[in-house]
Structure formats: C-alpha cells, structure tokens
Amino acid sequence: MAKINNLAYDYSTYDEEEIQAPRKIKHRANPAKKKAAGGIKALGAAIAAMALFCSMIYGRVELSSLYTQQSELEAELAQLTNENISLESELAQKTGLTKVEEYAENELGLQKLDKSQIEYVEIEGDTVAEVVAQEDTNIFVRIKRWFSDLLEYIGA
C-alpha cells in the first residue's frame, strides 16, 4: 500500500499484516433466544414432571381399586366357605346311617335281617371253575392267535 502522509491520520501504528489479515467476527448469542430456550426447557421439564405425577396418581388409584376388589373377593370366599361347611353338615345328617335306616323302615317297609332268615349252603366236593375257549369268528382274532402260536413254536 502506498503510504499517505496525512497528519490527520497516523497509519504508522498499523502494520501491513494486520491490515491484510481478516478480522475475526465474534458472534454473540441473542439474549432473547437464550431466554426463549430456557423457557422452553423449563416448560418441558414442567410437563415431564406433571406427566410423572399423573402416572403416579393413576398407579395409586389402580392399586387402590385392586385392593378393594381383593377384599371383596376374600369376603365372598369366606361366605362361600361358610355355606359349603353348612351344606356338608346337612348332607352328612341326611346320609347318616340312622337316617338311611329310618327311610328304609318307614318309607320302603324294609326290616332288619333276623338270624332265622340266614341260610347256609354247603357244597360237596371240590369246586373247579373251567374256562371254555370261545370260537371267535373274527378274522383279526384268528390272525393274532396264529401269530402268537407261531412265535410260541419258534420259541421267541
């Protein structure tokens, strides 16, 4: 560059390198954007906290309803158990030996057996039961017997 000797301006303080070097531009963040970003983050955190709080309340409500349902079912079970016990005792009373004897005597007209009514039968000689082989006309039974006789003959 050509040097200009103007007393109004003193260019000697600047070097040629500084003049030719590009200036670095510093960017400053807009404070309005920072405030907006901070507000959005705070709003997001508040929404997340509210969602967490609502889910916790919903969980407690569901848990409470399940406890209520459990207690109702336990009460119903106790009632049915008591009813079952009473029905079993009623059944035992109706099917007892004395009730059956009374029903047989009164309703059916039956009487107890006397010793005079008992008859003993004596069989003379040895009693032998004889198994009579049936002649099956079924073809499958014949084939089965033929194979079993064949295996018996072979010795397997």
Side-chain angles (χ1 to χ4, degrees), residues 44-63:
I47 290 173
M50 188 62 115
L52 181 63
F53 182 69
C54 289
S55 66
M56 287 176 57
I57 289 175
Y58 178 74
R60 295 288 180 167
V61 167
E62 286 295 316
L63 191 61

